[in-house]
Structures are given as C-alpha cells and as structure tokens.
Amino acid sequence: MRYLLKNGTVVSAEQSVQADVLIEGEKIIGVGKGLDENGAEVIDVSGKLLFPGFIDGHTHFDLEVAGTVTADDFETGTRAAIAGGTTLVIDYASQDKGGHTLKEGLEKWHRKADGKCSCDYSFHMSVVEWNEETEKEIEDMIREGITSFKLYMTYPAMIVNDSDLYKIIKKLNECGCFAGVHCENAGVIDALIAEAKKEGRTGPENHPLVRPDTMEAEAVHRLLAIAGEAKAPVMIVHLTNRKAFEEVMRARMNGQKVYAETCPQYLLLDDSVYSRPDFEGAKYVCAPPIRKKEDQDCLWKALANGEIQTVATDQCSFTMEQKRLGKDDFTKIPGGLPGVQTRGTLLYTYGVRTGKITKEQMCGLLSENAARLYGVYPRKGVIRQGSDADIVVFDPEKESVISAKTHLYNTDNNPYEGFALHGDIEQVFLRGQQVVQDGKVIREKTGTYIKRGKNQLY
Ligand code: DUC
Ligand code: ZN
C-alpha cells in the first residue's frame, strides 16, 4: 500500500517543516515538498501536525500488583495506546525472585504480549536477583533486543541492595546498556507506614505522607553516588519532585551521565487529590506519589531546558473495585494509574499550547529522545526516508474532554476525568498501515515485537 500525506507540518525535535510524506509498505520512502502521488492514495493533512509515532518507555500491562492484576492487559492497553498516538510501548518484563532466570521472565512477557498488541512493543528487563547466572544472561538479553534494564530500590518482591545495584550498573555499562531505577528509600517508608498504622491512619490521604519527596531524593542521591563509583550512566524513571531533580543536576555537574523520565501525572496533578472524599484519593495512589505544585513547576522547567529527556506514562491501571482492596488499609491499594491514551494530547494541551514547551520539544520528549535512548533510532522516532512509517496525524484544534465513559481503558476511572483537551489524535499509521482513522482504532493486533539496539542519546 502507498499513501501520500499531503501538505502537513512534519515535526521533528529540531524543527517543523511543511512537507508531504510518501509511504510505501512499512516504510517512509520520501519527505519533501510537492511529492508526486505516483499511484498512492492521497490523504490531505493540511493544517495537521505530523509527529513520529510516540514511544512510551514505561508501561505495565498484565502485571500482578498487590494481589491483583492490572485492569489493562496488552490487548486493551495497546489499543488505548495506539488511539493515543503511541506506536511503540516498552513494557517492564521481570525476573521473579527465588532462583528464576531472566530468560523465564522474558518468555513470560512474550506469552502475555505476543499476538495481542495493537502497537509495536518491546521490553526492558527488571533484574531482581543478581548472581553469576543472571550476570551471564545479560548478553542473552541483548541478543533478544533488550538493551535497557530496570532496578528497584523499593518493593520487597523487587528490591536489590546497594551492593548489587553497584555490580549490576557496572556490568550493564560494560555491555553498553543501562538501567532505569525506581528510586525510593524502602526502609524509611516502611517505618513511616508502621507509624501510620499504629496511629490508626488508614485512608489514602496517608499515601503521600509515607512516601515523601525527601525519601525519593535520598534514593536518587544514593543511586547516583553508586553509579558514580561504578562510572556508569543510569536513568531515573518517574522523577517526581524538585529535591530529587536537584540531585540529578548535582551529579551531572560532577560529570555523570544521568537520564531522567517524568510522567503526565507528576506534571498535571498535585497531592490534594489524595484528600478527595469517598475514597476517590485511592484512584491516584501510585509510587512515587503525586507531589506539590512547586514540583510540577520544577519539572516543566526541566522539560523546557532539556534536563528531562522523556515523558512516559508508568501506565498501570486498576478499577475502583480493585482499588477498594485497600479500603481499610491504604497500603493495600494497588498502585498505579492509566495514561497511555492521553500522554500526547495532555502534553500538547498543557505544555505546547500554554507555551511551556514547544511542539519540537514535545516531539523530542515523546518520540525522538526515547527512540535514541532505547536504541530504535532512526528506525523509529523520526519522519525520514527509510524510517518505519509510524506517523501521528495530529489535529491541533480539535477539542474534547477526558472521561472514563469514553476512554479505551478497561477501567471505570480516569485520573484526568474532566480535563479539557485542545488537540487530538486524528490518524495513526503503524509501519505503513492506517490503524487509527477519525480518532477510532480501525485495525487491531498488528503490533510486532521490536528488538532494540543500544542507547544513542548523548
Ligand atoms: N509504581 C506504581 O504505582 N505502579 C507500578 C509500578 C510503580 O513503580
Ligand atoms: Zn513503573
């Protein structure tokens, strides 16, 4: 199939240009002014922005959390993702604790995802146990196209100690890879939870109090000291607050290579959500928690200054019934929020339209930087001859309102309920196939597993 997208504005991380885009099969075969249609189906996209398909480097589909499983699996989750312009998700596969291998974890994630995805997909691998066997497996993972890993400084089932953090980060660097790390101080959080329980504080308003910004910043500081000793780059995933951000900047001033990711919930919501009546606060329970207005301001500035490299979602969705598992004990509320469907439209509405960031920066944050960081550039992350024809046709004027009544998640709640959007995903091409038309998903489960190469971001 050949398509000619005519008269659109092609956005990259550097610039926006008026150009036609010619697609043949899975690839972009031409970008330029006045391209000859040459038998192609012509689609007039004048007035529209053409973004390279968005890449979400942080999702959790079909994940067991707190005795339940996320409401969205790879089928419903990637359907929502593609409707939101995301053409590649990188989900966190995980090794299990108790002598299990990375290979077993990878096979498990392929069973969850293969044949079900409506966008392309890849995996990071969470390492939760480190021994000679695991160390040998890193090269096997690289052969499987997994070049980024995840480490947790919190959660009993996932946590790795400081000694292993050092060894793993060092080994990954030797292999040309890096880890994204969930930074929260587990010990102090446990103590704060014990205090809350002793005092009979059981509601969701306690969630941000037991996971304070200082304990995220402490973990970031410790991680970066360890990474400095290991002389290895590292990534902070879901960075939420000013104190933690300052730790990142300090390490960079000392010459360290540190990447940072944040998520829309940390840019657009503040911690007053936890005090909403009737257990509504549970909807927003995620880790790290949503912070304060001043933290949002800091994160927006960091995006504008290029100090945060990517905005992902940490998609991890639950129904209110599932959230009610913690109705008598906030620590039993499964943590996480949906987000894959609205990452692009929220960033456009509340970032680009308000002048906080440019549309070119949005392109870098959602597409190009992520493509470079996760080793799929220039196959993905750019609208250029030879790249996969993953293209978002974005209508900058269409208005809508986010609602759980109309979203595609398998949930009855949306953290952005009632948020007005100005700008919408009109069409999406996934490797040359039109999969979203007039905002509706018209073709499902054509996603394919993407083997990734190594990080190419500075
Ligand atoms: N945080 C969450 O809230 N859910 C899933 C994993 C995570 O880090
Ligand atoms: Zn996560």
Side-chain angles (χ1 to χ4, degrees):
M1 192 70 198
R2 268 169 99 99
Y3 291 101
L4 180 62
L5 308 184
K6 218 158 172 52
N7 289 326
T9 299
V10 175
V11 185
S12 75
E14 290 77 39
Q15 58 178 354
S16 299
V17 291
Q18 290 287 121
D20 302 338
V21 180
L22 188 59
I23 299 170
E24 185 177 79
E26 297 203 339
K27 298 288 182 188
I28 295 166
I29 59 164
V31 181
K33 281 201 174 26
L35 293 186
D36 196 343
E37 58 201 65
N38 223 336
E41 180 179 323
V42 179
I43 303 177
D44 178 14
V45 291
S46 40
K48 307 293 190 297
L49 304 175
L50 305 187
F51 286 100
F54 304 144
I55 297 170
D56 190 341
H58 193 150
T59 67
H60 302 280
F61 298 126
D62 199 354
L63 181 72
E64 286 175 43
V65 179
T68 186
V69 181
T70 54
D72 285 288
D73 60 10
F74 280 87
E75 181 173 337
T76 62
T78 60
R79 191 192 299 145
I82 198 77
T86 292
T87 50
L88 173 64
V89 293
I90 312 176
D91 197 85
Y92 286 99
S94 185
Q95 176 192 30
D96 283 321
K97 271 212 159 114
H100 293 282
T101 62
L102 302 183
K103 182 165 184 274
E104 287 173 297
L106 178 59
E107 285 168 354
K108 191 166 158 185
W109 251 259
H110 272 298
R111 283 195 298 277
K112 288 174 193 253
D114 292 352
K116 299 194 187 114
C117 292
S118 292
C119 63
D120 284 352
Y121 61 103
S122 187
F123 304 125
H124 313 276
M125 178 56 66
S126 303
V127 179
V128 303
E129 248 166 27
W130 190 243
N131 50 44
E132 272 178 32
E133 176 77 11
T134 325
E135 186 170 347
K136 283 201 206 101
E137 283 195 279
I138 297 295
E139 291 292 352
D140 301 338
M141 290 298 110
I142 295 169
R143 274 190 291 280
E144 295 296 327
I146 294 174
T147 51
S148 50
F149 294 77
K150 170 104 176 253
L151 301 170
Y152 289 84
M153 297 172 82
T154 185
Y155 299 140
M158 315 296 276
I159 192 166
V160 290
N161 62 33
D162 293 349
S163 164
D164 286 344
L165 272 180
Y166 171 81
K167 292 178 202 160
I168 299 168
I169 289 168
K170 190 167 174 179
K171 170 72 185 177
L172 292 178
N173 185 40
E174 284 163 12
C175 298
C177 299
F178 70 97
V181 184
H182 180 136
C183 297
E184 284 186 292
N185 177 309
V188 175
I189 288 172
D190 281 349
L192 291 170
I193 288 172
E195 275 177 20
K197 288 194 171 167
K198 204 164 160 206
E199 290 161 14
R201 294 187 279 122
T202 60
E205 66 283 1
N206 292 289
H207 175 71
L209 305 180
V210 303
R211 307 188 87 97
D213 57 350
T214 52
M215 289 301 109
E216 182 181 337
E218 185 283 328
V220 170
H221 177 89
R222 183 160 33 102
L223 171 73
L224 295 181
I226 292 168
E229 246 358 278
K231 298 186 176 46
V234 76
M235 176 166 187
I236 314 297
V237 296
H238 48 45
L239 184 80
T240 72
N241 72 83
R242 183 179 55 78
K243 293 188 180 93
F245 175 70
E246 283 169 0
E247 296 293 345
V248 170
M249 293 306 281
R250 196 165 301 137
R252 285 183 184 156
M253 297 264 279
N254 291 332
Q256 283 184 244
K257 198 182 271 185
V258 186
Y259 304 112
E261 163 204 277
T262 192
C263 312
Q265 55 271 34
Y266 303 119
L267 293 164
L268 297 171
L269 302 171
D270 69 67
D271 62 356
S272 64
V273 294
Y274 294 114
S275 304
R276 292 192 183 173
D278 304 324
F279 201 59
E280 204 196 328
K283 213 162 104 171
Y284 303 94
V285 165
C286 60
I290 287 155
R291 306 293 188 191
K292 302 206 176 297
K293 178 76 175 62
E294 67 155 54
D295 296 307
Q296 291 177 16
D297 296 343
C298 167
L299 296 175
W300 278 116
K301 269 198 208 108
L303 294 181
N305 293 338
E307 293 157 344
I308 290 178
Q309 285 67 41
T310 185
V311 175
T313 60
D314 200 6
Q315 155 88 29
C316 188
S317 62
F318 300 98
T319 62
M320 283 315 284
E321 190 183 339
Q322 289 178 297
K323 291 276 182 180
R324 274 193 288 277
L325 289 167
K327 72 178 176 355
D328 302 319
D329 174 357
F330 69 95
T331 65
K332 295 200 165 61
I333 299 169
L337 319 170
V340 290
Q341 195 176 348
T342 54
R343 183 178 54 132
T345 46
L346 284 170
L347 210 62
Y348 186 80
T349 305
Y350 295 94
V352 176
R353 284 197 82 88
T354 58
K356 289 191 172 85
I357 57 171
T358 64
K359 58 183 180 306
E360 292 77 21
Q361 285 176 316
M362 169 173 155
C363 179
L365 292 164
L366 298 189
S367 305
E368 189 173 318
N369 295 351
R372 289 182 193 273
L373 191 56
Y374 296 125
V376 292
Y377 187 89
R379 177 176 177 189
K380 297 189 182 288
V382 63
I383 297 179
R384 175 195 286 181
Q385 188 176 349
S387 297
D388 279 0
D390 294 345
I391 297 173
V392 177
V393 180
F394 192 90
D395 180 343
E397 296 307 334
K398 190 159 173 232
E399 295 182 45
S400 61
V401 176
I402 296 177
S403 168
K405 291 200 176 73
T406 51
H407 71 199
L408 294 182
Y409 308 119
N410 195 24
T411 66
D412 52 358
N413 65 90
N414 189 305
Y416 309 103
E417 186 73 36
F419 271 59
L421 295 175
H422 197 140
D424 210 355
I425 312 297
E426 188 182 88
Q427 301 175 48
V428 181
F429 290 83
L430 175 66
R431 280 176 290 99
Q433 270 202 324
Q434 190 166 11
V435 290
V436 174
Q437 193 175 47
D438 299 327
K440 303 267 176 308
V441 180
I442 56 164
R443 210 168 261 119
E444 294 185 34
K445 299 188 185 174
T446 59
T448 185
Y449 177 71
I450 300 294
K451 284 191 174 189
R452 295 182 288 113
K454 293 188 181 169
N455 171 24
Q456 313 139 40
L457 191 68
Y458 43 88

